[in-house]
Amino acid sequence: MPSKVLLKKDWKQVSLLWILLVFLGIVAFTVPVWTDMYAYEQQILEIKQNPSDFPDIVTGDVNEMVPEDFFGDGSGYGYLGGLNGLIPSGGVIFLFVIFGALMASVLIGSERNSQMSDFTMSLPYTRTQLYISKWVLGATGIVTSTLIGGTLMFLIIRFSDYSFLMEGKEFKVIAMILFLMLSGISFFSLSLWMGSFGGESISQVIWTFVALIFPMGILLLVQGSLYAFFPDRLFLFVEEAFESIPMRILSPLNNIFNVDMYSVYTDQSVWNDFITYAPILSIANIVLTFGLGLWMFKEAPQENNGRFFMFSSWLWLIHIVIVICFAMLGGVLFSVISYPQNMILYVIGFVIAAFLAHLLAKRLLYRFNLKLKS
């Protein structure tokens, strides 16, 4: 359990962000619902005023029609929309991605920027306790935001004229709310882990962005490179990897993209796939990133605070990865100039991008790294 003293110290750092997250979470969950309901009302009003323009919907006296009559035959989509249009998944996920990175960068990166981490490390607490305190504080912000905002969203729909859209699907809505919460925690946990890489706040945000796109990004680069050498071959491993369980564990974004947010309420097979995998894989990602983050936080050399990358002994590996990734990207971009993709153009783009990436990596990982520390 984290110490109350540590929680108070960390709370002073992120209290404004924490409160803002809760407030914006309530907004993200509720305002889109009101907006969509207002849009439904306007569409129904238009149909009532011009019934002849909607012969497929108006089959009797339009004045006797109730809201249910303006929707489909239970398909969930209907003429005007459905339950899927009322659940603001995209906005909530975007909020959690942004605030997860911000809170994590303040809790670790900014602390290292100001050299306050030297004082923190001198406190009579282990690094495990320090890390757990930061993780708990950020995770509780996401949990609080979701529970308040998600509950209000649920009640707004339940006591509205469109409550019939949710009848029999209450459990699905609750499951989706909990999945959004778990996804938010996974984003925060990933960003906090990246704080063990970066020695200051900006680098932590950069590493977070890299970690979000790297798992699928590297596979896409490999596939694009193979097409340059074998344009007549069909490579499907990226599509297969996109839906694979290991990739969904490694990438919280990948796990979300594998959920059909529109069909999960209406298609039983989609729902079965969602409830079987998505929440469990989010928990697996949280466990993985929390464990790696805790381990690296304990191992990070304190003397490298303020540097772009904390582990000096790993710089050669990061250098190689940067060069290879940018080289493949340059090769793919050059090769698609012609159709079909040209191997010679790929090699030219690969060499040019590798050289530029090498210069960038040297400046970023060595010169700039030392400059930040000084």
Side-chain angles (χ1 to χ4, degrees):
M1 292 295 293
S3 166
K4 292 182 179 179
V5 175
L6 289 178
L7 288 175
K8 289 181 180 179
K9 180 189 76 67
D10 292 331
W11 170 255
K12 290 180 180 179
Q13 293 178 261
V14 296
S15 56
L16 291 178
L17 278 176
W18 199 97
I19 295 171
L20 187 59
L21 169 62
V22 174
F23 171 74
L24 292 179
I26 295 173
V27 173
F29 271 107
T30 57
V31 171
V33 177
W34 288 112
T35 303
D36 290 334
M37 288 184 178
Y38 177 76
Y40 287 164
E41 292 175 0
Q42 294 300 112
Q43 289 174 301
I44 291 174
L45 180 61
E46 181 182 356
I47 294 172
K48 287 185 175 182
Q49 292 176 343
N50 305 283
S52 59
D53 295 338
F54 304 91
D56 294 335
I57 301 177
V58 181
T59 57
D61 188 352
V62 70
N63 295 318
E64 295 181 359
M65 295 178 67
V66 294
E68 291 91 327
D69 298 328
F70 293 93
F71 291 82
D73 54 357
S75 66
Y77 291 93
Y79 303 111
L80 304 184
L83 179 60
N84 42 35
L86 295 178
I87 310 299
S89 305
V92 173
I93 290 171
F94 178 77
L95 176 70
F96 286 160
V97 169
I98 298 300
F99 271 81
L102 285 176
M103 284 202 299
S105 66
V106 170
L107 286 167
I108 292 185
S110 294
E111 192 174 78
R112 285 174 171 161
N113 275 99
S114 63
Q115 304 298 317
M116 183 180 177
S117 60
D118 294 333
F119 165 75
T120 301
M121 292 296 180
S122 68
L123 296 175
Y125 299 102
T126 65
R127 290 197 178 190
T128 297
Q129 291 174 301
L130 295 175
Y131 190 85
I132 292 177
S133 173
K134 298 176 188 298
W135 186 88
V136 167
L137 193 61
T140 53
I142 295 170
V143 170
T144 304
S145 175
T146 305
L147 291 181
I148 297 177
T151 300
L152 290 175
M153 180 197 72
F154 186 93
L155 294 175
I156 289 172
I157 299 174
R158 168 54 62 194
F159 294 104
S160 71
D161 293 336
Y162 305 98
S163 60
F164 60 88
L165 294 173
M166 197 166 62
E167 289 181 2
K169 302 173 184 176
E170 291 85 355
F171 178 73
K172 293 183 178 181
V173 174
I174 294 174
M176 180 57 68
I177 293 173
L178 294 177
F179 172 65
L180 293 176
M181 181 185 72
L182 290 173
S183 297
I185 296 175
S186 67
F187 289 127
F188 170 74
S189 186
L190 174 68
S191 186
L192 200 67
W193 170 29
M194 291 300 102
S196 302
F197 278 85
E200 39 87 43
S201 57
I202 296 178
S203 62
Q204 182 177 351
V205 173
I206 294 174
W207 288 119
T208 299
F209 175 75
V210 171
L212 284 174
I213 66 173
F214 183 80
M216 284 303 300
I218 190 66
L219 290 179
L220 289 171
L221 289 175
V222 171
Q223 179 173 270
S225 300
L226 289 174
Y227 276 127
F229 286 90
F230 309 99
D232 298 327
R233 295 279 300 276
L234 182 63
F235 300 97
L236 300 176
F237 63 88
V238 170
E239 289 76 6
E240 295 172 355
F242 181 78
E243 299 177 356
S244 67
I245 290 178
M247 191 61 65
R248 293 177 67 173
I249 293 175
L250 289 174
S251 172
L253 281 180
N254 187 266
N255 191 31
I256 290 172
F257 290 151
N258 271 278
V259 176
D260 188 342
M261 296 292 184
Y262 287 92
S263 300
V264 71
Y265 306 103
T266 58
D267 190 318
Q268 189 61 34
S269 62
V270 174
W271 162 253
N272 291 338
D273 179 76
F274 164 76
I275 201 64
T276 302
Y277 295 105
I280 296 175
L281 297 181
S282 287
I283 295 174
N285 176 267
I286 293 171
V287 172
L288 175 66
T289 53
F290 175 81
L292 290 173
L294 176 60
W295 171 65
M296 296 190 69
F297 186 79
K298 291 164 62 177
E299 298 297 325
Q302 186 68 10
E303 63 271 15
N304 286 343
N305 277 353
R307 292 185 174 179
F308 186 79
F309 188 69
M310 291 287 289
F311 297 87
S312 300
S313 58
W314 293 6
L315 287 176
W316 65 272
L317 177 60
I318 302 300
H319 190 146
I320 292 175
V321 172
I322 290 176
V323 171
I324 292 176
C325 289
F326 274 90
M328 286 194 294
L329 177 61
V332 171
L333 293 178
F334 267 68
S335 67
V336 297
I337 295 176
S338 65
Y339 182 83
Q341 288 178 266
N342 189 291
M343 181 178 64
I344 297 177
L345 288 176
Y346 178 88
V347 173
I348 295 174
F350 186 96
V351 172
I352 293 175
F355 175 71
L356 295 177
H358 169 67
L359 296 179
L360 173 65
K362 283 184 63 177
R363 184 171 185 83
L364 190 65
L365 297 178
Y366 300 98
R367 298 177 186 175
F368 185 57
N369 202 29
L370 294 174
K371 184 179 179 180
L372 279 176
K373 178 61 178 177
S374 61

